[in-house]
Amino acid sequence: MADITKQKVVEQLKGAGVSPSEQRIAVFSFLHQNHIHPTADTIYQRLSPDYPTLSKTTVYNTLKLLVAKCLIQVVAIEDGELRFDVNTDFHAHFKCRECLEIIDLFDIPELQCPMETQLIAESTQLNFYGICDQCKGKQEEQS
Amino acid sequence: MADITKQKVVEQLKGAGVSPSEQRIAVFSFLHQNHIHPTADTIYQRLSPDYPTLSKTTVYNTLKLLVAKCLIQVVAIEDGELRFDVNTDFHAHFKCRECLEIIDLFDIPELQCPMETQLIAESTQLNFYGICDQCKGKQEEQS
DNA sequence: TTAAAGATTTGTTATCATTACAATTTTCGG
DNA sequence: CCGAAAATTGTAATGATAACAAATCTTTAA
Ligand SMILES: [Mn+2]
Ligand SMILES: [Mn+2]
Ligand SMILES: [Zn+2]
Ligand SMILES: [Zn+2]
């Protein structure tokens, strides 16, 4: 589960000019260790037991800071909830409408706007929506 | 501006099993005549003068109904606001971070999930974010 | 060491889009 | 025309996020 040391996390924060507070390390580490594209609330819920004084505001502030420093990216795959991803390289996402899980799709090349539009994309989101294999399997069982 | 007759709008609604009330015709016509990917609130603001009794709830209800009947599509390009589009064919969108306008990009072929994932996408959203030509021009003037 | 300044965290309150709900109005078959 | 069903409306509730100011922690310089 721990695919990155606390040392590395602290180094990354310092490298981006972010002072590595206990809370920031916790949030950033959580994202490093759980590639589940969590919402701010999920992060808060999961960290609360280990950091009883943690405030939800701090989670929001930290996420905003990490995004501003390009240490994480926002995944806007569904309205009404922002999700966060330590992987800042371009990759697509698939959201299952049954289990709501978000699956990474790495084998799609980064897209550009058509030449003739003259538009330059600073960032791109490619989102697919459907039913994942697991949930499809369960549905077929029942019928 | 009026690129579609009221007759045609009514026919489309009936064809989808939606009774063509005054309000539904107004909302659907607005989307047909204004390809600006408006939010529910924008639609409400723009129709209010002509339909003084129109309720925002009706706008939301109507949009939800039109989406359910596949007469329009949701464009989830930014968190916290849903946008609506009469064009239900696949096409990408570019949102300018300066003027906030959303530009249609038609010349991109519909994408599929990579074969090996076995995933079937029921819908796809491809969103680009950057600065549009107009806003880029204005910025260069100043500098 | 110490105290002020600055940075960070926290709890509470505000905001804003959307939904839930119940009452009112409109439509339509008999 | 009458009453059921459908549609609309206004208001209240929800839920994610932001604003804000007070409290706490950290750093700096005397
Ligand atoms: Mn991802
Ligand atoms: Mn469009
Ligand atoms: Zn699933
Ligand atoms: Zn622009």
XYZ file of all heavy atoms in Angstrom, chain A residues 39-90:
414
model
N -12.798 12.330 -3.302
C -13.298 13.694 -3.106
C -12.648 14.252 -1.838
O -12.048 13.505 -1.051
C -14.822 13.693 -2.896
O -15.108 12.957 -1.707
C -15.542 13.059 -4.070
N -12.793 15.558 -1.641
C -12.269 16.173 -0.425
C -12.882 15.499 0.799
O -12.187 15.212 1.779
C -12.585 17.671 -0.421
N -14.147 15.228 0.722
C -14.828 14.621 1.863
C -14.302 13.219 2.170
O -14.110 12.864 3.328
C -16.339 14.563 1.604
C -17.104 14.162 2.853
O -17.102 14.957 3.807
O -17.671 13.057 2.882
N -14.079 12.443 1.134
C -13.537 11.097 1.343
C -12.174 11.166 2.034
O -11.900 10.419 2.976
C -13.396 10.358 -0.002
O -14.668 10.241 -0.603
C -12.785 8.971 0.202
N -11.336 12.082 1.570
C -10.015 12.241 2.186
C -10.184 12.585 3.663
O -9.540 12.001 4.532
C -9.213 13.337 1.458
C -8.944 12.924 0.008
C -7.897 13.614 2.188
C -8.370 14.037 -0.854
N -11.075 13.512 3.925
C -11.319 13.928 5.310
C -11.789 12.746 6.164
O -11.263 12.497 7.243
C -12.350 15.044 5.324
C -12.792 15.428 6.710
C -11.950 16.120 7.577
C -14.062 15.076 7.161
C -12.352 16.459 8.854
C -14.482 15.427 8.442
C -13.620 16.112 9.279
O -14.025 16.445 10.545
N -12.755 12.001 5.658
C -13.295 10.857 6.403
C -12.215 9.822 6.708
O -12.151 9.281 7.813
C -14.427 10.183 5.611
C -15.620 11.062 5.318
C -16.360 11.523 6.562
O -16.219 10.929 7.632
N -17.120 12.596 6.428
N -11.386 9.549 5.707
C -10.386 8.502 5.862
C -9.225 8.920 6.758
O -8.601 8.086 7.400
C -9.858 8.093 4.476
C -10.917 7.484 3.550
C -11.134 6.005 3.828
N -9.936 5.242 3.596
C -9.581 4.673 2.446
N -10.380 4.791 1.395
N -8.465 3.996 2.343
N -8.927 10.217 6.799
C -7.802 10.678 7.622
C -8.220 10.976 9.058
O -7.412 10.899 9.975
C -7.158 11.923 7.006
C -6.391 11.735 5.699
C -5.821 13.069 5.238
C -5.258 10.719 5.874
N -9.484 11.325 9.229
C -9.985 11.743 10.544
C -9.557 10.828 11.693
O -9.079 11.311 12.721
C -11.500 11.870 10.524
O -11.864 13.183 10.197
N -9.725 9.522 11.568
C -9.359 8.647 12.679
C -7.921 8.842 13.137
O -7.644 8.852 14.341
C -9.576 7.242 12.101
C -10.602 7.431 11.043
C -10.309 8.773 10.436
N -7.008 9.009 12.188
C -5.597 9.169 12.543
C -5.223 10.603 12.894
O -4.196 10.842 13.527
C -4.707 8.684 11.389
C -4.766 7.179 11.222
O -4.973 6.473 12.241
O -4.618 6.694 10.084
N -6.030 11.553 12.436
C -5.756 12.970 12.717
C -7.026 13.603 13.263
O -7.724 14.336 12.557
C -5.306 13.689 11.442
C -4.057 13.106 10.837
C -4.104 11.981 10.022
C -2.799 13.672 11.108
C -2.949 11.435 9.478
C -1.642 13.127 10.572
C -1.730 12.000 9.761
O -0.596 11.454 9.222
N -7.310 13.345 14.531
C -8.605 13.730 15.119
C -8.885 15.226 15.061
O -10.042 15.629 15.037
C -8.483 13.258 16.572
C -7.361 12.277 16.577
C -6.431 12.714 15.502
N -7.831 16.047 15.014
C -8.071 17.497 15.023
C -8.203 18.061 13.605
O -8.496 19.236 13.444
C -6.925 18.245 15.721
O -5.767 18.228 14.876
C -6.585 17.600 17.063
N -7.968 17.212 12.626
C -8.016 17.684 11.234
C -9.351 18.338 10.904
O -10.410 17.822 11.251
C -7.775 16.512 10.277
C -7.758 16.836 8.783
C -6.553 17.703 8.432
C -7.735 15.554 7.956
N -9.267 19.460 10.230
C -10.478 20.176 9.825
C -10.722 19.980 8.334
O -9.792 19.863 7.538
C -10.292 21.662 10.133
O -11.046 22.436 9.243
N -12.001 19.960 7.977
C -12.321 19.774 6.564
C -11.831 20.973 5.745
O -11.408 20.830 4.599
C -13.831 19.580 6.384
C -14.182 18.991 5.035
C -15.667 18.768 4.861
C -16.140 17.474 5.497
N -17.529 17.136 5.084
N -11.864 22.138 6.373
C -11.352 23.332 5.690
C -9.893 23.148 5.294
O -9.469 23.554 4.215
C -11.502 24.566 6.591
O -12.878 24.782 6.870
C -10.921 25.799 5.935
N -9.128 22.535 6.175
C -7.708 22.313 5.873
C -7.552 21.368 4.694
O -6.672 21.559 3.845
C -6.983 21.733 7.100
O -7.051 22.685 8.149
C -5.530 21.420 6.789
N -8.408 20.378 4.616
C -8.352 19.466 3.471
C -8.624 20.244 2.184
O -7.867 20.141 1.213
C -9.371 18.315 3.627
C -9.381 17.442 2.377
C -9.029 17.478 4.848
N -9.662 21.068 2.190
C -9.960 21.876 1.004
C -8.801 22.821 0.673
O -8.373 22.930 -0.475
C -11.238 22.697 1.216
C -12.505 21.923 0.946
C -13.327 21.498 1.979
C -12.876 21.610 -0.363
C -14.493 20.785 1.727
C -14.043 20.902 -0.624
C -14.846 20.490 0.430
O -15.991 19.781 0.169
N -8.287 23.505 1.698
C -7.176 24.439 1.469
C -5.961 23.719 0.897
O -5.326 24.201 -0.038
C -6.781 25.118 2.781
C -7.819 26.129 3.239
O -8.664 26.550 2.459
N -7.762 26.492 4.502
N -5.656 22.586 1.468
C -4.475 21.830 1.034
C -4.634 21.363 -0.406
O -3.713 21.494 -1.219
C -4.248 20.621 1.957
O -4.040 21.104 3.288
C -3.048 19.817 1.517
N -5.805 20.844 -0.728
C -6.031 20.377 -2.093
C -5.893 21.529 -3.085
O -5.258 21.388 -4.129
C -7.416 19.723 -2.202
C -7.550 18.393 -1.456
C -9.005 17.953 -1.385
C -6.696 17.313 -2.118
N -6.449 22.672 -2.731
C -6.350 23.821 -3.629
C -4.891 24.234 -3.825
O -4.450 24.546 -4.943
C -7.154 24.991 -3.046
C -7.122 26.231 -3.918
C -8.117 27.276 -3.452
C -9.527 26.878 -3.824
N -10.512 27.962 -3.619
N -4.144 24.182 -2.732
C -2.721 24.535 -2.798
C -1.940 23.549 -3.662
O -1.140 23.938 -4.517
C -2.149 24.568 -1.374
C -0.696 24.979 -1.203
C -0.486 26.419 -1.670
C -0.279 24.824 0.266
N -2.198 22.279 -3.460
C -1.484 21.249 -4.229
C -1.811 21.362 -5.718
O -0.939 21.159 -6.568
C -1.836 19.853 -3.710
C -1.413 19.535 -2.269
C -1.829 18.117 -1.878
C 0.092 19.704 -2.082
N -3.045 21.701 -6.025
C -3.422 21.885 -7.428
C -2.686 23.100 -7.996
O -2.117 23.039 -9.089
C -4.951 22.064 -7.585
C -5.302 22.524 -9.002
C -5.681 20.773 -7.251
N -2.682 24.190 -7.225
C -2.017 25.420 -7.698
C -0.538 25.169 -7.957
O 0.054 25.745 -8.872
C -2.190 26.533 -6.667
N 0.073 24.306 -7.152
C 1.509 24.001 -7.312
C 1.737 22.860 -8.292
O 2.860 22.361 -8.425
C 2.107 23.631 -5.952
C 2.027 24.738 -4.914
C 2.842 25.959 -5.323
C 2.827 27.007 -4.203
N 3.621 28.208 -4.556
N 0.677 22.426 -8.941
C 0.766 21.352 -9.949
C 1.286 20.035 -9.386
O 1.922 19.253 -10.096
C 1.620 21.788 -11.136
S 0.937 23.180 -12.020
N 1.037 19.805 -8.116
C 1.462 18.533 -7.512
C 0.371 17.470 -7.673
O 0.636 16.278 -7.581
C 1.780 18.734 -6.030
C 3.027 19.565 -5.754
C 3.167 19.852 -4.262
C 4.277 18.849 -6.266
N -0.853 17.908 -7.876
C -1.976 16.995 -8.133
C -2.858 17.635 -9.196
O -2.689 18.815 -9.520
C -2.817 16.712 -6.863
C -3.486 17.995 -6.369
C -1.954 16.097 -5.780
C -4.431 17.778 -5.191
N -3.802 16.868 -9.723
C -4.736 17.453 -10.682
C -6.180 17.185 -10.260
O -6.470 16.247 -9.535
C -4.493 16.933 -12.100
C -4.891 15.496 -12.329
C -5.063 15.170 -13.819
O -5.772 15.855 -14.549
N -4.410 14.102 -14.262
N -7.029 18.067 -10.717
C -8.467 17.917 -10.476
C -9.044 17.042 -11.574
O -8.712 17.215 -12.739
C -9.164 19.290 -10.511
C -10.662 19.123 -10.381
C -8.612 20.184 -9.428
N -9.904 16.125 -11.185
C -10.635 15.324 -12.159
C -12.103 15.714 -12.035
O -12.771 15.333 -11.074
C -10.442 13.815 -11.917
C -11.252 13.015 -12.919
C -8.975 13.448 -12.010
N -12.586 16.489 -13.003
C -13.980 16.970 -12.961
C -14.825 16.037 -13.805
O -15.200 16.356 -14.920
C -14.049 18.401 -13.476
N -15.107 14.882 -13.262
C -15.798 13.861 -14.054
C -17.283 13.849 -13.779
O -18.066 13.312 -14.550
C -15.193 12.465 -13.774
C -15.597 11.470 -14.863
C -15.593 11.957 -12.399
C -14.817 10.185 -14.842
N -17.686 14.461 -12.696
C -19.105 14.464 -12.328
C -19.401 15.810 -11.704
O -18.578 16.349 -10.976
C -19.389 13.350 -11.329
C -20.842 12.969 -11.202
C -21.297 12.122 -12.395
O -20.628 11.132 -12.732
O -22.337 12.462 -12.974
N -20.565 16.344 -11.980
C -20.887 17.622 -11.398
C -21.145 17.481 -9.907
O -21.629 16.459 -9.442
C -22.136 18.203 -12.062
C -22.388 19.606 -11.600
O -21.572 20.479 -11.905
O -23.384 19.840 -10.889
N -20.804 18.505 -9.171
C -21.123 18.522 -7.755
C -20.087 17.893 -6.859
O -20.266 17.849 -5.643
N -19.007 17.401 -7.433
C -17.932 16.859 -6.600
C -16.636 16.854 -7.395
O -16.570 16.333 -8.490
C -18.252 15.436 -6.127
C -18.530 14.471 -7.266
C -18.602 13.022 -6.790
O -19.071 12.798 -5.668
O -18.166 12.131 -7.546
N -15.621 17.458 -6.799
C -14.305 17.440 -7.428
C -13.542 16.237 -6.913
O -13.640 15.874 -5.746
C -13.544 18.714 -7.090
C -14.083 19.986 -7.722
C -13.248 21.182 -7.298
C -14.102 19.857 -9.230
N -12.784 15.630 -7.793
C -11.948 14.510 -7.397
C -10.503 14.844 -7.677
O -10.208 15.697 -8.495
C -12.393 13.252 -8.152
C -13.747 12.765 -7.651
C -14.391 11.781 -8.548
N -15.492 11.128 -7.872
C -15.364 10.052 -7.097
N -14.172 9.509 -6.913
N -16.414 9.526 -6.511
N -9.610 14.164 -6.967
C -8.202 14.548 -7.020
C -7.318 13.356 -7.346
O -7.617 12.217 -6.971
C -7.810 15.210 -5.695
C -8.617 16.445 -5.426
C -9.819 16.364 -4.717
C -8.224 17.680 -5.911
C -10.593 17.495 -4.492
C -8.988 18.816 -5.699
C -10.173 18.723 -4.989
N -6.230 13.643 -8.043
C -5.393 12.608 -8.634
C -3.930 13.035 -8.522
O -3.578 14.122 -8.966
C -5.808 12.476 -10.115
C -5.288 11.206 -10.757
O -4.276 10.657 -10.281
O -5.898 10.760 -11.751
N -3.090 12.194 -7.904
C -1.654 12.529 -7.833
C -0.980 12.407 -9.179
O 0.114 12.936 -9.364
C -0.840 11.613 -6.897
C -0.790 12.172 -5.509
C -1.300 10.196 -6.959
N -1.589 11.675 -10.077
C -0.981 11.516 -11.394
C -1.356 12.725 -12.253
O -2.489 12.855 -12.686
C -1.468 10.220 -12.037
C -0.773 9.943 -13.342
O -0.096 10.815 -13.900
N -0.914 8.731 -13.825
N -0.376 13.589 -12.494
C -0.669 14.823 -13.246
C -0.418 14.660 -14.745
O -0.638 15.601 -15.507
C 0.171 15.999 -12.710
O 1.551 15.648 -12.759
C -0.209 16.340 -11.283
N 0.048 13.499 -15.144
C 0.191 13.254 -16.590
C -1.191 13.068 -17.199
O -2.121 12.623 -16.534
C 1.013 11.978 -16.833
C 2.421 12.109 -16.303
O 2.943 13.245 -16.245
O 3.006 11.068 -15.919
N -1.305 13.376 -18.489
C -2.594 13.182 -19.141
C -2.976 11.708 -19.173
O -2.183 10.842 -19.541
C -2.567 13.708 -20.585
C -3.812 13.330 -21.334
C -4.981 14.060 -21.180
C -3.834 12.217 -22.173
C -6.144 13.697 -21.839
C -5.000 11.848 -22.845
C -6.148 12.595 -22.673
